[in-house]
Amino acid sequence: FPDYFADLEARVSAPSLVGGRWFRSVVHEPYASPVLHVSDRPDDPGEVLLEIRVPSTKGWRSAYLEARERAAFDWALVSTAVALKVEGGVVKDARVVLGQVATIPWRAAAAEKALVGKPVGAASAEAAGKAAVLGAEPMTDNGYKVDLVTTLVRRTVASLA
């Protein structure tokens, strides 16, 4: 998936499908899925994706960072998209999505939990970075991504402080 899918995944709401004579919205809770996951596919071959609603970003801050081997014209080794709803200096809701760590944008629920209820700062950024890789099972040649994810999540969250 292109890098921008991680950022979109952090913001997406309900995709809508249309087909034949009907219109329906798909309940989409993006855990570890692309914009439209296998379980959200149209039930009927005549259905098509009509729209993806992106909710208002009022009260939210967001940032996207990526690590590349070269400065330009290269795919990201790892990317992170973080969206935080902050009220009174405290995180009320969080979305942390990782790119290039799986075949789909990966929602880091443990990192989100590490942020909610905490002020945005160095300590919460560090906790989110560590939580993002809990249970990570790297393949033979990409174990280096675990450290990259930890660092990039920390930096992305810290950029929102």
Short mmCIF file of all heavy atoms in Angstrom, two decimals, residues 65 78-82 96-98 108 111-112 115 124-133 147-159:
data_model
loop_
_atom_site.label_atom_id
_atom_site.label_comp_id
_atom_site.label_asym_id
_atom_site.label_seq_id
_atom_site.Cartn_x
_atom_site.Cartn_y
_atom_site.Cartn_z
N LEU A 65 5.24 10.65 9.76
CA LEU A 65 6.69 10.60 9.54
C LEU A 65 7.05 9.28 8.89
O LEU A 65 6.34 8.28 9.05
CB LEU A 65 7.46 10.73 10.85
CG LEU A 65 7.41 12.07 11.59
CD1 LEU A 65 8.15 11.95 12.92
CD2 LEU A 65 8.01 13.17 10.74
N VAL A 78 9.70 2.35 7.02
CA VAL A 78 8.64 2.35 8.02
C VAL A 78 7.99 3.73 7.98
O VAL A 78 8.68 4.72 7.77
CB VAL A 78 9.19 2.08 9.45
CG1 VAL A 78 8.12 2.30 10.50
CG2 VAL A 78 9.76 0.69 9.56
N SER A 79 6.67 3.78 8.17
CA SER A 79 6.00 5.07 8.30
C SER A 79 5.05 5.01 9.49
O SER A 79 4.60 3.93 9.88
CB SER A 79 5.26 5.44 7.02
OG SER A 79 4.21 4.53 6.76
N THR A 80 4.78 6.18 10.07
CA THR A 80 3.84 6.26 11.18
C THR A 80 2.90 7.44 10.96
O THR A 80 3.33 8.52 10.54
CB THR A 80 4.55 6.45 12.53
OG1 THR A 80 5.36 7.63 12.47
CG2 THR A 80 5.40 5.26 12.88
N ALA A 81 1.63 7.22 11.24
CA ALA A 81 0.63 8.27 11.22
C ALA A 81 -0.01 8.28 12.60
O ALA A 81 -0.46 7.24 13.09
CB ALA A 81 -0.43 8.00 10.15
N VAL A 82 0.00 9.43 13.24
CA VAL A 82 -0.55 9.56 14.59
C VAL A 82 -1.57 10.69 14.57
O VAL A 82 -1.28 11.79 14.08
CB VAL A 82 0.54 9.84 15.64
CG1 VAL A 82 -0.06 10.06 17.01
CG2 VAL A 82 1.55 8.70 15.67
N VAL A 96 -2.91 5.42 16.12
CA VAL A 96 -1.51 5.21 15.72
C VAL A 96 -1.52 4.12 14.66
O VAL A 96 -1.96 3.00 14.94
CB VAL A 96 -0.62 4.81 16.92
CG1 VAL A 96 0.82 4.55 16.46
CG2 VAL A 96 -0.67 5.87 18.01
N VAL A 97 -1.07 4.46 13.47
CA VAL A 97 -1.07 3.50 12.36
C VAL A 97 0.34 3.41 11.79
O VAL A 97 1.00 4.43 11.56
CB VAL A 97 -2.08 3.92 11.27
CG1 VAL A 97 -2.09 2.90 10.13
CG2 VAL A 97 -3.48 4.06 11.86
N LEU A 98 0.78 2.19 11.58
CA LEU A 98 2.13 1.91 11.07
C LEU A 98 2.06 1.46 9.63
O LEU A 98 1.21 0.64 9.27
CB LEU A 98 2.79 0.82 11.91
CG LEU A 98 2.72 0.99 13.43
CD1 LEU A 98 3.30 -0.24 14.12
CD2 LEU A 98 3.43 2.26 13.85
N ALA A 108 -1.85 0.31 15.68
CA ALA A 108 -1.11 -0.05 16.89
C ALA A 108 -1.96 0.30 18.12
O ALA A 108 -1.78 1.33 18.76
CB ALA A 108 0.23 0.68 16.93
N ALA A 111 -0.23 1.12 21.45
CA ALA A 111 0.35 2.47 21.49
C ALA A 111 -0.74 3.50 21.76
O ALA A 111 -0.52 4.47 22.50
CB ALA A 111 1.06 2.77 20.17
N GLU A 112 -1.91 3.29 21.18
CA GLU A 112 -3.03 4.21 21.41
C GLU A 112 -3.43 4.20 22.89
O GLU A 112 -3.62 5.26 23.50
CB GLU A 112 -4.23 3.81 20.55
CG GLU A 112 -3.96 3.95 19.07
CD GLU A 112 -5.03 3.35 18.18
OE1 GLU A 112 -6.02 2.77 18.70
OE2 GLU A 112 -4.88 3.44 16.96
N LEU A 115 -1.27 6.20 25.16
CA LEU A 115 -1.39 7.66 25.05
C LEU A 115 -2.63 8.23 25.74
O LEU A 115 -2.58 9.33 26.29
CB LEU A 115 -1.40 8.06 23.57
CG LEU A 115 -0.09 7.86 22.83
CD1 LEU A 115 -0.31 7.95 21.32
CD2 LEU A 115 0.92 8.89 23.28
N SER A 124 5.06 10.15 27.42
CA SER A 124 3.98 9.43 26.71
C SER A 124 4.46 9.01 25.32
O SER A 124 4.08 7.94 24.84
CB SER A 124 2.72 10.28 26.62
OG SER A 124 2.96 11.49 25.94
N ALA A 125 5.31 9.80 24.69
CA ALA A 125 5.86 9.43 23.38
C ALA A 125 6.73 8.18 23.50
O ALA A 125 6.63 7.26 22.68
CB ALA A 125 6.66 10.59 22.81
N GLU A 126 7.55 8.13 24.54
CA GLU A 126 8.40 6.96 24.78
C GLU A 126 7.55 5.72 25.04
O GLU A 126 7.82 4.64 24.50
CB GLU A 126 9.33 7.23 25.95
CG GLU A 126 10.35 6.15 26.22
CD GLU A 126 11.44 6.08 25.18
OE1 GLU A 126 11.77 7.11 24.56
OE2 GLU A 126 11.97 4.97 24.98
N ALA A 127 6.51 5.86 25.87
CA ALA A 127 5.63 4.73 26.19
C ALA A 127 4.90 4.23 24.94
O ALA A 127 4.77 3.02 24.73
CB ALA A 127 4.63 5.14 27.27
N ALA A 128 4.45 5.15 24.10
CA ALA A 128 3.75 4.76 22.87
C ALA A 128 4.68 4.03 21.93
O ALA A 128 4.30 3.03 21.30
CB ALA A 128 3.16 5.99 22.19
N GLY A 129 5.92 4.51 21.81
CA GLY A 129 6.90 3.84 20.95
C GLY A 129 7.17 2.41 21.37
O GLY A 129 7.20 1.50 20.55
N LYS A 130 7.33 2.21 22.67
CA LYS A 130 7.56 0.85 23.18
C LYS A 130 6.33 -0.03 23.02
O LYS A 130 6.43 -1.20 22.67
CB LYS A 130 7.99 0.92 24.64
CG LYS A 130 9.38 1.49 24.84
CD LYS A 130 9.76 1.59 26.30
CE LYS A 130 11.15 2.17 26.45
NZ LYS A 130 11.53 2.38 27.84
N ALA A 131 5.15 0.54 23.27
CA ALA A 131 3.91 -0.23 23.16
C ALA A 131 3.61 -0.63 21.72
O ALA A 131 3.01 -1.67 21.47
CB ALA A 131 2.74 0.57 23.74
N ALA A 132 4.04 0.19 20.76
CA ALA A 132 3.76 -0.07 19.35
C ALA A 132 4.37 -1.37 18.86
O ALA A 132 3.89 -1.98 17.90
CB ALA A 132 4.24 1.09 18.49
N VAL A 133 5.43 -1.83 19.51
CA VAL A 133 6.11 -3.05 19.05
C VAL A 133 5.87 -4.26 19.94
O VAL A 133 6.46 -5.32 19.72
CB VAL A 133 7.63 -2.80 18.87
CG1 VAL A 133 7.89 -1.77 17.78
CG2 VAL A 133 8.28 -2.39 20.17
N ASP A 147 13.11 -1.60 15.90
CA ASP A 147 13.73 -0.39 16.45
C ASP A 147 13.28 0.86 15.70
O ASP A 147 13.08 1.92 16.30
CB ASP A 147 15.25 -0.49 16.43
CG ASP A 147 15.78 -1.50 17.44
OD1 ASP A 147 15.07 -1.76 18.44
OD2 ASP A 147 16.89 -2.02 17.23
N LEU A 148 13.14 0.76 14.38
CA LEU A 148 12.68 1.90 13.60
C LEU A 148 11.28 2.34 14.02
O LEU A 148 11.01 3.53 14.17
CB LEU A 148 12.66 1.57 12.10
CG LEU A 148 13.95 1.75 11.33
CD1 LEU A 148 13.77 1.32 9.87
CD2 LEU A 148 14.43 3.18 11.38
N VAL A 149 10.39 1.37 14.21
CA VAL A 149 9.02 1.69 14.64
C VAL A 149 9.04 2.38 16.00
O VAL A 149 8.38 3.41 16.19
CB VAL A 149 8.13 0.43 14.69
CG1 VAL A 149 6.83 0.69 15.43
CG2 VAL A 149 7.84 -0.06 13.28
N THR A 150 9.78 1.83 16.95
CA THR A 150 9.86 2.42 18.29
C THR A 150 10.28 3.88 18.20
O THR A 150 9.65 4.77 18.79
CB THR A 150 10.85 1.63 19.17
OG1 THR A 150 10.42 0.27 19.24
CG2 THR A 150 10.91 2.20 20.57
N THR A 151 11.33 4.14 17.47
CA THR A 151 11.86 5.50 17.32
C THR A 151 10.90 6.41 16.58
O THR A 151 10.64 7.55 16.99
CB THR A 151 13.22 5.47 16.61
OG1 THR A 151 14.12 4.69 17.38
CG2 THR A 151 13.78 6.87 16.41
N LEU A 152 10.33 5.91 15.48
CA LEU A 152 9.46 6.76 14.66
C LEU A 152 8.15 7.10 15.37
O LEU A 152 7.68 8.23 15.29
CB LEU A 152 9.20 6.07 13.32
CG LEU A 152 8.99 6.98 12.13
CD1 LEU A 152 10.12 7.98 11.96
CD2 LEU A 152 8.82 6.18 10.87
N VAL A 153 7.57 6.14 16.09
CA VAL A 153 6.36 6.45 16.86
C VAL A 153 6.68 7.49 17.92
O VAL A 153 5.93 8.46 18.10
CB VAL A 153 5.74 5.17 17.48
CG1 VAL A 153 4.66 5.53 18.50
CG2 VAL A 153 5.16 4.27 16.40
N ARG A 154 7.78 7.31 18.61
CA ARG A 154 8.19 8.29 19.63
C ARG A 154 8.34 9.68 19.02
O ARG A 154 7.82 10.66 19.55
CB ARG A 154 9.51 7.86 20.29
CG ARG A 154 10.00 8.84 21.35
CD ARG A 154 11.30 8.39 22.03
NE ARG A 154 12.33 7.87 21.16
CZ ARG A 154 13.17 8.63 20.43
NH1 ARG A 154 13.09 9.94 20.48
NH2 ARG A 154 14.09 8.07 19.69
N ARG A 155 9.00 9.79 17.90
CA ARG A 155 9.22 11.08 17.25
C ARG A 155 7.90 11.69 16.74
O ARG A 155 7.71 12.90 16.82
CB ARG A 155 10.20 10.95 16.09
CG ARG A 155 11.62 10.72 16.54
CD ARG A 155 12.54 10.59 15.34
NE ARG A 155 13.91 10.34 15.76
CZ ARG A 155 14.90 10.04 14.93
NH1 ARG A 155 14.67 9.95 13.64
NH2 ARG A 155 16.10 9.82 15.40
N THR A 156 7.04 10.85 16.18
CA THR A 156 5.78 11.35 15.65
C THR A 156 4.89 11.90 16.77
O THR A 156 4.33 13.00 16.65
CB THR A 156 5.03 10.25 14.86
OG1 THR A 156 5.92 9.66 13.91
CG2 THR A 156 3.84 10.82 14.12
N VAL A 157 4.79 11.15 17.86
CA VAL A 157 4.00 11.63 19.01
C VAL A 157 4.63 12.90 19.58
O VAL A 157 3.92 13.88 19.85
CB VAL A 157 3.88 10.54 20.09
CG1 VAL A 157 3.23 11.09 21.35
CG2 VAL A 157 3.07 9.35 19.57
N ALA A 158 5.93 12.90 19.75
CA ALA A 158 6.61 14.07 20.32
C ALA A 158 6.41 15.31 19.45
O ALA A 158 6.34 16.43 19.97
CB ALA A 158 8.10 13.78 20.50
N SER A 159 6.27 15.13 18.15
CA SER A 159 6.08 16.28 17.25
C SER A 159 4.72 16.95 17.47
O SER A 159 4.51 18.08 17.04
CB SER A 159 6.22 15.85 15.78
OG SER A 159 5.08 15.14 15.35
#
